[in-house]
Amino acid sequence: MKSLMLGNEAVARGLYEGGCSFVSSYPGTPSTEITECAAKYEELYAEWAPNEKVALEAAFGACLSGKRSFCAMKHVGLNVAADPLFTISYTGVNAGLVIGVADDAGMHSSQNEQDSRHYAQASRIPMLEPSDSAEALAFAKLAYELSEEFDTAVLLKMCTRVSHSQSVVETGERVLPAQKKYEKNPGKYIMMPANAKKRHPEVEARTKALTAWAETTEINRIETGGDPSCGIITSSTCYQYVKEAFGDTYPVLKLGMIWPMPEQKIREFAAAVERLVVVEELDGFIESHCRSLGLAVSGKELFSNIGELSQNLVKEKLGGNVQAGAALDEDIPARPPVMCAGCPHRSIFYVLKKMNLTVLGDIGCYTLGAVQPLGAIDTTICMGASVSGLHGFVKAGDGESAGRTVAVIGDSTFMHSGVTGLINIAYNESNSTVIILDNSITGMTGHQQNPTTGYNLKGDPCAKIDLESLCHAVGIKRVRVVDPYDMEICQAVITEELAAKEPSVIISRRPCALLKYVKHPGPICSDTEKCKGCKACMKIGCPAISMVNGKAKIDATLCVGCGVCEQLCKFDALGKAE
Amino acid sequence: METKNIMIVGVGGQGTLLASKLLGRLILGKGFDVKVSEVHGMSQRGGSVVTYVRWGDRVCSPIIDKGQADCVLSFELLEAARYTEYVKPGGRIIVNSQQINPMPVIAGMAAYPENLVEKMAALDIQVDALDALSLAEKAGSSKAVNLVLMGRLAKHFDFTDEEWMDAIEHSVPSKFLELNKKAFELGRSA
């Protein structure tokens, strides 16, 4: 049956059809929907793990037990999972193991634009790279065949434009392979030096065998074009840009497996064209391979390693003409993402800014606390870095920094890798103050459950981590809970905990305003008679408040009635409707 | 058939995703190759959002580049102005005249530009502005802005009434079907 599917949905379909039975992932844009869609198939067990390392290790365990398994993550998640990745390369698999990783060139929703293809080469794990939804489905299935044939995990590399584009797919039936038995095999699965030394040559031999496969597989295909003055090697979404720009004019070598790459096929392709060009986003990965073969090639001197490419860019750089559109000669103000009206994070950041504190931030919706007019965050690095960074900042600081510095981290991010930083704070005794912004959900990626919410990926009730007990258990004696909507109490508690001569955790607890079960009191009204136009309420950056004719106006369709602006108004102009 | 390109732009939370889902269904039903591309995540939080819808005999790129859109369908005035560059010469912008202030304007760091409809009309593009919010309210809900705009779009593209109705029925919850059909009609006839 033909249907229109998101690339991520198509991967999930490929997992289903390819006989995958176990999925463990951590959400991360643009990879999240793979696992959400996989969870909709009753035949697949699917879960959210607390982080990507746990997810990959769980998926490896499942493959060891004899079931085809999968885990998905965004590019930076693969950094977290890199430890098992490199050694799983040595052990190989029992049943097939596929690892989905989604890059984000252009940083639509990421903190860097690292190129995951390097991980394939570095870990010696083959990587397939689909260019649309149909290939995403087909490559997910193919990945299991390769995984079992070559005794290796297989990386399936997505990118924002493939993950988040819908295109036409043809669906098929699920074929479940015979269950494999787990058999003890210490030489293969116990990676201590004596065994690992024997496995490494196996890995290199496997790479040779995969390179030979790369020479003949149909997913590395040459498309003959009429004009051999230029031959283009490309893959992923860049293949689509090349085809959009030039149709079937130039010969194209489309690589479906990006590592290991063929040698002979590339040499033959290069020999048949006058000029060899590589079109790829981010690093010159294919280009470096071509150069290592001694081929003259153009790549990164034409196409930047910064941001995304497009059909116009490809056409222009290769000498084609593009049609321009007419831009307005006007300063168009940017429209950055903002915290939603009623967001429980807003008031905490207002308080932190008012107190003029140094705030080490983390990854999640609350990263928006860095945006003006709140502008309350000093750093954002990676998942968990706020807590561990705070420890170093306070320990190495001038003695006063302990009383002036906090870390802020969300509930899901704290579970992911914040708790290890907190253990370090307790163990090595830094006078740190950590604020856990517990909004009872993984917010930024679109409301995924996590170990603190009491529900699993399928939406069923499950064990719920008690944050207070957890903090106590790792050795933090001072644990306070506040309601972020009450700014006076928040400020008082933060002041007390900063003054305390030992580590403390403040849990700022209120569920995300967008959660369906959250009941709101109804919009605030503004009294234009009482409003003096002092703009105190504008300092919280609420999208529901604007100034009209010098007076505060509340947009009743957006306002949920959190009452934070009301606390800022000295003239009693904001309040619940009578 | 030459590839058709529609960009749907607006503010995160305005319902642009339903519009693209509806169009995808409509076009696939006609047997065309189709690609619908959007960006999720950070951009949803009240930020500027863009969806690309492309269909034809063979569609390669999932995105629409500058100077390529047959039509930009904008849910908000400032967002229309932001993307005029993407309209092909002689192409069309359908714009909901509703204004939603972005944070730099709310925070007093920038001004919302004035007379944008007139300024856009002076370019080599056709500008079709309507108050979709009022029409949606007239249909029964301010949330039906997307269906009002779909109705307006229907005036300019070659799909039958039945094809539109089939796509609407498959894209909106059944309890809001009548409201949405009414919004669609109001957009088309306004």
Side-chain angles (χ1 to χ4, degrees), chain A residues 166 310-311 323 335 338 538, chain B residues 36 45 61 65 67 79 106:
Chain A
Q166 301 175 52
S310 71
Q311 53 264 39
Q323 162 183 281
R335 190 185 297 276
V338 292
M538 301 299 290
Chain B
V36 179
R45 301 280 173 270
S61 173
D65 223 323
E79 295 311 305
I106 291 177

Side-chain angles (χ1 to χ4, degrees), chain A residues 302-421:
Chain A
L302 296 171
F303 303 105
S304 170
N305 58 3
I306 300 167
E308 295 185 282
L309 303 184
S310 71
Q311 53 264 39
N312 275 5
L313 215 124
V314 169
K315 201 168 191 176
E316 227 173 340
K317 295 288 181 182
L318 293 176
N321 289 320
V322 299
Q323 162 183 281
L328 276 182
D329 183 19
E330 185 83 35
D331 267 340
I332 309 283
R335 190 185 297 276
V338 292
M339 284 180 192
C340 309
C343 177
H345 300 324
R346 172 174 291 108
S347 38
I348 278 285
F349 284 114
Y350 177 80
V351 170
L352 294 175
K353 186 176 183 184
K354 191 176 153 199
M355 295 174 74
N356 198 22
L357 300 179
T358 300
V359 178
L360 304 192
D362 223 292
I363 307 285
C365 283
Y366 50 92
T367 311
L368 294 171
V371 179
Q372 294 301 334
L374 288 167
I377 290 180
D378 288 75
T379 65
T380 296
I381 309 293
C382 66
M383 298 285 283
S386 62
V387 182
S388 16
L390 174 67
H391 171 77
F393 195 85
V394 167
K395 270 275 178 193
D398 56 10
E400 282 179 23
S401 57
R404 294 193 313 241
T405 315
V406 297
V408 291
I409 184 165
D411 47 322
S412 187
T413 310
F414 182 71
M415 282 293 109
H416 179 283
S417 47
V419 67
T420 40

Side-chain angles (χ1 to χ4, degrees), chain B residues 135-179:
Chain B
L135 292 170
E137 280 164 355
K138 201 170 153 192
S141 167
S142 59
K143 289 184 177 157
V145 162
N146 44 21
L147 265 293
V148 171
L149 291 171
M150 286 291 105
R152 195 56 159 225
L153 187 74
K155 283 172 76 169
H156 305 294
F157 287 89
D158 201 14
F159 295 99
T160 67
D161 255 23
E162 283 134 16
E163 287 160 356
W164 277 107
M165 287 309 138
D166 172 78
I168 293 171
E169 279 164 22
H170 283 90
S171 310
V172 305
S174 53
K175 65 174 173 176
F176 299 120
L177 185 60
E178 284 315 308
L179 187 158

Side-chain angles (χ1 to χ4, degrees), chain A residues 33 109 164-166 240-241 244 310-312 323 325-327 330 333-335 337-338 443-444 538 541 545, chain B residues 35-38 40 42 45 48 54 61-63 65-68 76 79 82 84-85 100 103 106 113 119:
Chain A
E33 299 84 359
S109 198
H164 286 168
S165 295
Q166 301 175 52
Q240 305 293 357
Y241 300 148
E244 190 69 43
S310 71
Q311 53 264 39
N312 275 5
Q323 162 183 281
E330 185 83 35
R335 190 185 297 276
V338 292
M444 183 51 94
M538 301 299 290
I545 313 174
Chain B
K35 283 192 176 164
V36 179
S37 185
E38 59 224 7
H40 310 190
M42 197 72 146
R45 301 280 173 270
S48 176
R54 315 190 66 218
S61 173
I63 60 169
D65 223 323
K66 288 174 186 168
Q68 291 184 339
E76 198 273 344
E79 295 311 305
R82 193 186 310 284
T84 56
E85 237 184 318
I100 301 174
M103 193 47 69
I106 291 177
K119 286 172 186 166

Side-chain angles (χ1 to χ4, degrees), chain A residues 13 277 284 300 318 372 399 414 502 516:
Chain A
R13 181 73 201 183
V277 176
K300 285 297 141 187
L318 293 176
Q372 294 301 334
F414 182 71
E502 61 176 304
K516 286 214 173 83

Side-chain angles (χ1 to χ4, degrees), chain A residues 455-471:
Chain A
Y455 292 92
N456 64 23
L457 167 57
K458 300 254 183 186
D460 299 323
C462 61
K464 180 179 165 135
I465 297 268
D466 182 79
L467 282 173
E468 292 92 313
S469 307
L470 179 62
C471 295

